[in-house]
Every structure is written in C-alpha cells, then in structure tokens.
Amino acid sequence: MNTRLLRFLQSLSGFGLLLAALMFAASFTPSLVPRAWWAQGLVSASCAIAGYLLGNLVRWIWNFLELPWWRGHLARALWLVGTVVCIALVMLALWQAAAWQDSIRLRMGMESESRFFAPMACLLAVVLFVILLMLGRLFAFVLRWVDLRTRRFLPRRVALLLSIALTLALFWSIGNGVFFRLWLKAADSSYRQYDELVDEHTLLAALPERTRGYLTATQWKDIGRRGRDFLATGPTAAQIADFYGADAKAPIRVYVGLRSAETARARAALALDQLKQAHAFNRAALIVMTPTGSGWIDPGAVDSVEYLMRGDVASVTVQYSYLSSPLSLLTEPEYGAETSRELFRAIYGYWHELPHDRRPRLYLHGLSLGAMNSERSTEWLTLLGDPFDGAMWSGPPFPSELWQWFTAHRNPGSPAWLPTYGDGTLVRFVGQEPLRGESAAGHARIAYLQYATDAIAFYSHRYFLHRPDWLDAPRGPEVSPAMRWFPLVTGIQLVFDMPAAINSPEGHGHAYAPASYVDAWAVLLDRHDDSPETIARLKRRLTQAAGDHAL
C-alpha cells in the first residue's frame, strides 16, 4: 500500500502541485459574499484542480515544443524555495480564512465564522481534489488509448489533436447526456410537484377584492403555488388606508400560470382579458411584472408600490417556467423572453389605443432573470412615439445587455457598482443607501436596484483574466477591503458566489429588501406628497411585514 501511494505521489506533476497550492491558498481570500465551510471546500478544490491542470498544460506544451528543462543544483534550489513558499502561503491562508470571511459576515450583520471553518473546508477540498484527480487520470488513460489507435493511420501530432477532441467529446457526452439530464429530470419533477401543491392557507385567503371575480376555481388551481401566493397576499385597502389615514383602493393583481393556457401568446391574451375584467386600465398605474424562473414575484417589490400608489395600481404577470432562475436560464434561455415579449405586446397594444388622459401610467418590473427578460420584452424603436412610463429592474443578471450598456457608458468617476448616467433623468441606479440631495431630485424613466455584493449582477467571464472595475476605490459599502483579484481564482469564486448570493441575509447580495424597493419605486413614481418621515415609516412597516412572513 505504501509503495502504491509512493508511486502515485511520484507520478504527480511538481509544477502542477505548486500552482495548485498557490490557487488553493488564494481561494480562501474573501469574495463578494461569505461562504459556508462546505462551499469553501468546493471553491478551494476547484481552484486547486484548475491550478494543477494549468501546470500540467504548461508542462505538456513545453515538452510538445521540445524545449529543455533546467537541470542541476539551480533547478533543485528553485524547486525547494518554491515548495517552501507555497506551503507557507497555504498555512497563512488557513490561519486567516475565518477572519477573511468575517470581513464580509460582520458587514452583513452575520455572526463570526467558526474556528473549525478552515480545517473542515481544507479536508473537504483535499478529498474532492483527489476525486477530481482520479477523473483526470481516467481521462488521460482514455486519451492514450485513443491516441495509440489513431497513430496507426495518422501523423503523430495530428493523431494527438484528434484524440484530444474525441476524448473531450466522449466525456462531455457522458456528463451532459447522462448525469446532467438525470439531475435535470429530477429537478424538473421536484419543481413541478412543488408548483402544483395547494396550500390551504392561500386557497382560503383569496380575497374577493383581490381577484375581483375574474378567477374561476379551475383557473385558481392552474396558476400554481407561486401565483396563489402572489394573489392571496399583499396589503388590503383597509391596511393601506390605515397607514395613510385616508381612503385607499384595493390593489389589483393578475397572475396567469404556466398551465393556464397552452402557449405564451394564449397566456398573454388571457392576462389582458383578466385585466379588462378587473377594470385595471382605470387605475393610476399598471405594472407589467416578469417573474423569476420559478414564477416568483418578490413581495417587497409589489407591496411597496401598492402602498406608494395608495392602492390605485394594478399588477400583472405571466409564468413561463417553474424551474429556478439558474436552471431556467440553462435549459430554456429564450422562453422567458418570449413570454415577456408576448405579454408586453398584448398589454401595450391595448394601452396604446386608449386616450392618453384615460389610461394608466405603464411601468415594467422584473427581478433577477425576470429583469433581463423584462428588458428584452420591449421593442424600443416602436416606442419612440408613445413610450411606456418607466421600468424598475432589480438585481439584473450580468448578461442583461441594456444594463451592461448603461454601466459601460456611465459618467466618468462614478463607481461600477453604483453608476450615474447623464443627469439621471433617463436612468438611475439605486443601492442600499437611500438617495439624497441632487441624486434624489426629479425622476427617471429606468431605475436599476442593485447591491454591490450581488454576484449575479457583477459576475463576468472576463474576471477570470481581468480585474473587475468594481474593485476600484471607492468600493461598495459591504465589499471586503481584504478582497483581491487573482487570475482564475476570482472567476471561480464568483461562480460559486452567484448561488450563495440568493441566500444572503435580506438587504445583501441578491436578497433585495423592501426598504430598497421603496427607494427604487420612488425614483420612478416621483411621489412628492410623501414626506421623508412617511417614507421611513413605510420602510419600517414593510420590513416588519417581511420578517413576519419569513416566520
């Protein structure tokens, strides 16, 4: 057993191990959101195997080009120094790991990290590294087997390149065609069953003033769990009136589920029909909301605007999936945009024909994947003559093209995590801190709500090789001062930060707080009749309601 272990260790690439150790150490530095020990283990294992593969690739290219290696005492001395330095850096990283995590956790109001964080993460990372290394050995074995057979009728280098392509195709087919599909099928079944659950509470809480009599019992069941939650919750006319001490209307909500009609166009037509039945076009404002991949609408987003509008508002949304946003983006990236376009065309087409003085103000909203799909729903050239009134998009994911353009063309000197664009009358970016002074004056056509620690918004493939501009000073209020950019490592960290950002404490990462929604909607609605004290009181009420709902 000892002999086999010794042979295995001797077969490892020394240069690959040095790079693996460097990237392993760097992986413990902080990124945008804090990580649990098991998540840190995944990040560290991924960074270590990436470093090892990079070292092996460099060695292979060196040998392929038939370049000489250093020999003798100088080479041995360099290897010894490199080994000592790498071991020292790994030990330093493990020693500082908990403190680095606390540099984010304390900013987010979380408890300090456990002292067992680094040892547990390190143990998991080593186990995963060995497993990934064995998979790599299996890949190399298959590659050599294919290469030996292709060399019989092809030149050596051509055979090698062909063998690499064939082996990659084989492993990709197995991983994507077997494991990924099985996992996706299980996830699909799970999300579908969850969406079909009937919660007795929401079943009985469908208030007549909410549905306005336009829903039948069959339609109520077909809208799914997310739709029932959306329709059966939120502030009532009495609650809004009690808050302002004045009369208020009951907000109108329309939700069309994935099973409500066969096609996206039919679901959009049904949504328009229900809006007409509910007399939604008689309200002061109509908001076309695009849900996340699972069909969820953030309660903070809709509750806040219903209070600000004294209930004189209608909201409509159409479900396009029951998968989570990441899965929906992977499996059906265009379907959400198609549904969003169909809904916007149907509603805008009807709204456009109404007399200007007898139609509601028209707004768009979406969170996360819903924000990107909402962006894609509009045909901008057709809106020049009669544009909608505004859009509030929160947590736009990094592929959002319009958001990318405004960020790239921001005013010089404004930070990438909270840009300013022009004079703020067209686009306004809102973060965790409420707008004050000149930045709060007037109103904009488009408002983006984003937090500096939202990796879903601030990830980019470029960051594997290029330093993010949001790390420049001044940094976001919650971005750790200890965060540094490392080639490859930072990109891997951000990949794992994206799912972690969703589970951040409310008001951080990708979990947007009701108070932030109030600020974002206020930018669009320009509610001058609301005093700062009233806005502060509304934020407290919505925050308390969100806490009660979570309990």
Side-chain angles (χ1 to χ4, degrees), residues 12 42 56 58 110 142 151 202 210 222 231 259 286 362 402 407 409 443 448 531:
L12 297 177
L42 292 174
N56 262 345
V58 170
M110 303 171 68
V142 175
R151 282 191 187 189
T202 58
R210 178 82 64 201
D222 287 342
L231 295 180
R259 295 182 296 277
L286 171 61
L362 183 62
L402 191 62
T407 301
H409 294 82
H443 68 282
Y448 284 107
S531 66

Side-chain angles (χ1 to χ4, degrees), residues 243-244 300 303-304 307-308 430-436 506 513-522 531-547:
F243 177 80
Y244 286 105
D303 291 358
S304 56
Y307 268 103
L308 287 169
V430 181
Q432 284 147 322
E433 297 296 327
L435 297 173
R436 296 184 177 87
E506 188 174 86
S516 298
Y517 279 118
V518 172
D519 290 326
W521 280 119
S531 66
E533 293 76 17
T534 300
I535 293 295
R537 193 161 56 89
L538 176 58
K539 289 180 179 180
R540 289 194 297 270
R541 167 169 283 209
L542 292 173
T543 300
Q544 181 180 358

Side-chain angles (χ1 to χ4, degrees), residues 12-221:
L12 297 177
S13 165
F15 186 61
L17 287 176
L18 290 181
L19 283 182
L22 288 175
M23 291 182 64
F24 176 84
S27 71
F28 281 90
T29 59
S31 51
L32 289 181
V33 294
R35 295 185 287 270
W37 67 268
W38 56 267
Q40 181 63 61
L42 292 174
V43 172
S44 298
S46 300
C47 289
I49 202 66
Y52 186 80
L53 291 175
L54 179 61
N56 262 345
L57 178 63
V58 170
R59 186 182 67 171
W60 180 84
I61 293 174
W62 196 277
N63 292 334
F64 184 78
L65 297 175
E66 299 180 352
L67 297 173
W69 288 94
W70 286 348
R71 306 285 181 185
H73 296 296
L74 178 60
R76 285 194 292 272
L78 289 175
W79 280 113
L80 179 61
V81 171
T83 302
V84 172
V85 169
C86 287
I87 292 175
L89 289 175
V90 168
M91 298 304 294
L92 176 63
L94 294 175
W95 178 262
Q96 289 290 325
W100 281 334
Q101 290 300 305
D102 285 347
S103 69
I104 318 171
R105 296 177 67 88
L106 297 180
R107 282 176 167 78
M108 292 187 175
M110 303 171 68
E111 295 181 357
S112 296
E113 189 52 81
S114 166
R115 60 179 178 175
F116 299 107
F117 172 82
M120 295 170 68
C122 181
L123 179 61
L124 177 60
V126 170
V127 172
L128 293 175
F129 177 79
V130 173
I131 293 174
L132 293 172
L133 195 59
M134 292 299 100
L135 289 175
R137 290 294 176 92
L138 177 62
F139 180 90
F141 173 80
V142 175
L143 175 61
R144 284 194 297 269
W145 186 88
V146 176
D147 183 47
L148 287 174
R149 278 146 185 81
T150 53
R151 282 191 187 189
R152 296 174 183 175
F153 51 89
L154 289 175
R156 179 170 63 90
R157 293 184 180 180
V158 175
L160 180 59
L161 292 175
L162 179 61
S163 300
I164 293 174
L166 291 174
T167 307
L168 284 172
L170 174 64
F171 274 71
W172 175 259
S173 298
I174 294 174
N176 186 55
V178 179
F179 296 107
F180 179 73
R181 289 187 181 278
L182 286 175
W183 171 71
L184 186 61
K185 184 177 180 180
D188 179 84
S189 175
S190 175
Y191 280 106
R192 181 191 294 270
Q193 291 177 19
Y194 178 81
D195 189 64
E196 292 176 351
L197 286 176
V198 176
D199 183 3
E200 291 300 328
H201 171 71
T202 58
L203 183 62
L204 296 175
L207 304 177
E209 69 170 0
R210 178 82 64 201
T211 59
R212 291 277 175 177
Y214 62 80
L215 275 181
T216 66
T218 301
Q219 289 174 329
W220 173 250
K221 182 178 180 181

Side-chain angles (χ1 to χ4, degrees), residues 173-446:
S173 298
I174 294 174
N176 186 55
V178 179
F179 296 107
F180 179 73
R181 289 187 181 278
L182 286 175
W183 171 71
L184 186 61
K185 184 177 180 180
D188 179 84
S189 175
S190 175
Y191 280 106
R192 181 191 294 270
Q193 291 177 19
Y194 178 81
D195 189 64
E196 292 176 351
L197 286 176
V198 176
D199 183 3
E200 291 300 328
H201 171 71
T202 58
L203 183 62
L204 296 175
L207 304 177
E209 69 170 0
R210 178 82 64 201
T211 59
R212 291 277 175 177
Y214 62 80
L215 275 181
T216 66
T218 301
Q219 289 174 329
W220 173 250
K221 182 178 180 181
D222 287 342
I223 62 175
R225 185 183 181 93
R226 294 297 191 186
R228 291 188 291 270
D229 286 340
F230 176 74
L231 295 180
T233 57
T236 63
Q239 290 171 328
I240 298 173
D242 176 69
F243 177 80
Y244 286 105
D247 292 339
K249 294 183 178 181
I252 297 172
R253 294 186 181 186
V254 169
Y255 190 106
V256 175
L258 193 60
R259 295 182 296 277
S260 299
E262 290 295 325
T263 65
R265 180 166 297 183
R267 287 189 285 274
L270 177 59
L272 176 60
D273 183 60
Q274 291 185 355
L275 284 173
K276 293 177 183 178
Q277 293 180 49
H279 305 291
F281 290 94
N282 296 331
R283 292 304 175 97
L286 171 61
I287 304 173
V288 182
M289 294 189 163
T290 304
T292 62
S294 64
W296 181 67
I297 293 291
D298 192 339
V302 64
D303 291 358
S304 56
V305 72
E306 288 175 347
Y307 268 103
L308 287 169
M309 293 297 300
R310 282 27 174 208
D312 194 11
V313 60
S315 304
V316 58
T317 189
V318 171
Q319 185 182 21
Y320 55 87
S321 173
Y322 41 76
L323 297 174
S324 66
S325 289
L327 283 178
S328 181
L329 189 60
L330 280 173
T331 59
E332 44 196 26
E334 291 301 321
Y335 197 53
E338 177 194 356
T339 300
S340 189
R341 278 192 294 267
E342 292 291 350
L343 179 61
F344 179 79
R345 286 171 185 165
I347 292 176
Y348 178 82
Y350 182 81
W351 174 84
H352 173 68
E353 298 299 326
L354 296 175
H356 284 216
D357 59 344
R358 289 165 51 194
R359 70 183 188 186
R361 284 177 286 167
L362 183 62
Y363 296 99
L364 307 182
H365 169 67
L367 164 66
S368 192
L369 184 59
M372 185 177 72
N373 288 329
S374 182
E375 268 192 7
R376 295 174 176 178
S377 69
T378 57
E379 298 171 351
W380 294 95
L381 292 178
T382 65
L383 300 178
L384 294 179
D386 190 14
F388 58 87
D389 292 271
M392 196 277 280
W393 291 314
S394 51
F398 64 93
S400 304
E401 296 175 359
L402 191 62
W403 173 82
Q404 285 184 348
W405 194 92
F406 285 125
T407 301
H409 294 82
R410 64 188 182 274
N411 293 338
S414 64
W417 52 274
L418 195 63
T420 58
Y421 180 84
D423 61 359
T425 57
L426 176 61
V427 179
R428 200 82 56 85
F429 291 83
V430 181
Q432 284 147 322
E433 297 296 327
L435 297 173
R436 296 184 177 87
E438 293 182 2
S439 62
H443 68 282
R445 282 296 181 93
I446 299 174

